[in-house]
Amino acid sequence: MLSKEEIVKSVPQKGFLGHPKGLFSLFFTEFWERFSYYGMRAILIFYMYYAIKDGGLGLDRSQANIIMSIYGSLIYMSGIIGGWIADRILGTQKAVFYGGVMIMLGHIALSLPGGVMALYASMALIIIGTGLLKPNVSAVVGDLYSDNDPRRDSGFSIFYMGINMGAFVSPLLVGWTQEAWGFHAGFAVAAIGMFIGLVVFVVTKKNLGLAGSQPTNPLLPEEKKKTIFVFTAASIAIAVAGLITYTTGHLTIENFSLLITTLGILIPTVFITYMYRSPKTNADEKSRLLAYIPLFICAVMFWAIAEQSATVLATFVDTRTNLTVGNFEIPASWFQSFNPLFIITLAPLFAILWTKLGDRGPSTPKKFAFSLFFAGASFFVMVLPASADMNTLVSPFWVAFSIFLVVLGELLLSPVGLSATTKLAPAAFAGQTMALWFLASAAASAINAQLVRIYEVVSQTVYFGVLGGLSIVLGVVLLMISPMISRAMRGIK
Ligand code: GLU
Ligand code: ASP
């Protein structure tokens, strides 16, 4: 097995904005992968519920929102399997490559006129592909630097910019293509994006040196048999369960959503309990893990609200706002570019603020609490437009403002949360921390699969008001217990 020193030595340490050359490869691979994901996502909800005569699939709007939430959840849940495959079988570089290929095939499936079956095939490919690519491409970023390299954090910030730059341009481009040439053309643009990402990755992979070239913890020969057995048994069990529920008429979107919601909550619970009870976890690590639980719960609340920009708020923009400016009709999909646009513009300001404040800056639990206040405020802002008369169109400005507020929260939670996860997870589970952090987003979308059902039956005013209020209440609780959490973090800031 390669040591950290051997890996870092093999990586050209300069060449991209004063950072290791490999960061260039990872930045653009992830730029294009997120380009394809967020571009596709910006039009997918409309593709599902638009009438067939308008180029859509003609699904029920509520069902489309449930499917989007299930999809959003599985995309991040699959990170556990993807992380495991890289760690034990493929190594991260190969996992990223195969993941990218599957994602591209997934987008190609949607760019052909294949109806609902193509939709499900595309989702399956993109779920597995993203599980292989997303946690692993982020993990290689960390591998490029030695543990005490002061450039490490700024390396992650640059990478985060790449994510959001991809997420910013793609809804504009994919949305525009879809308006001009239809949905399938829009999805084709997403496929081309992932193709470019793959080319960049393959051509510039040598910049990564040995980072991610081998599995860190390869399967022993005797474990291989057991693994093949478990995988085969699990696949057969899932196929049989699918067949039985399908033939008996129980395989409905609603029932499936209940399964995903349960899994979304169960998996992180089992995972954290497992780490806590592991003999490899020492007393300090146990205390840190306990401190992590309230942070994780708050992250789930935050992402539940933030992720609804692509479902509930997207539907709101499309159905209840006036998008006509003069002769021009703003595509509803373009609203998905607001979040990354605000992130790109505000992230540097936050960086300056944290440097200015130095040690006087808020602790991690406090930042999480503030992020929940912003998330709550972002839904409160929607109460007024939501209570407008159903037959009049409101200004889309409200949604843009709501997204602005959620981004303030995202900047307090997203970068901090990832780094807190790496510091608070026990050392023996270091390889799984990226996947653990993505489980918060997976749980959030899993819960959203039920929330979007409620959205259809209660008044929208009540919906935004109650969820916004809940976020604020959770934030207050977290603020109150933040000194306790900080103490339990045992020296971690
Ligand atoms: N928007 C960020 C990304 O795509 C964070 C996603 C999340 O953790 O939910 O990487
Ligand atoms: N802000 C998200 C992320 O950091 C991107 C988005 O929601 O469009 O990638």
Side-chain angles (χ1 to χ4, degrees), residues 1 116 313:
M1 228 173 66
V116 176
L313 291 192

Side-chain angles (χ1 to χ4, degrees), residues 357-377:
L357 287 176
D359 278 347
R360 286 171 300 135
S363 63
T364 299
K366 283 200 176 123
K367 282 184 183 157
F368 269 54
F370 295 145
S371 82
L372 285 180
F373 295 156
F374 282 118

Side-chain angles (χ1 to χ4, degrees), residues 267-287:
I267 293 174
T269 311
V270 171
F271 194 15
I272 292 176
T273 314
Y274 178 75
M275 288 194 285
Y276 188 83
R277 296 177 133 203
S278 161
K280 293 179 191 154
T281 305
N282 67 32
D284 275 349
E285 290 177 325
K286 281 193 176 162
S287 168

Side-chain angles (χ1 to χ4, degrees), residues 238-252:
I238 292 172
V240 170
L243 206 66
I244 294 176
T245 47
Y246 180 73
T247 44
T248 55
H250 287 94
L251 188 62
T252 60

Side-chain angles (χ1 to χ4, degrees), residues 37 44 57 86 105 135 142 233 244 281 299 328 431 476 481 492:
Y37 174 66
L44 186 67
L57 291 173
L105 293 176
I244 294 176
T281 305
F328 183 66
V476 172
I481 61 169
I492 301 283

Side-chain angles (χ1 to χ4, degrees), residues 308 312-313 316 320 376-390 394 454-470:
Q308 287 187 40
V312 165
L313 291 192
F316 189 91
R320 299 201 55 195
S378 85
F379 263 26
F380 280 158
V381 160
M382 290 304 298
V383 167
L384 203 65
S387 58
D389 176 50
M390 278 290 181
V394 299
I454 297 174
Y455 180 70
E456 295 295 327
V457 290
V458 298
S459 94
Q460 295 182 358
T461 319
V462 170
Y463 182 84
F464 288 120
V466 169
L467 275 182
L470 195 64

Side-chain angles (χ1 to χ4, degrees), residues 34 38 76 134 163 303 438 441:
R34 291 283 94 182
Y38 283 113
Y76 288 114
K134 178 107 173 93
I163 290 178
W303 289 121
F438 288 137
S441 303

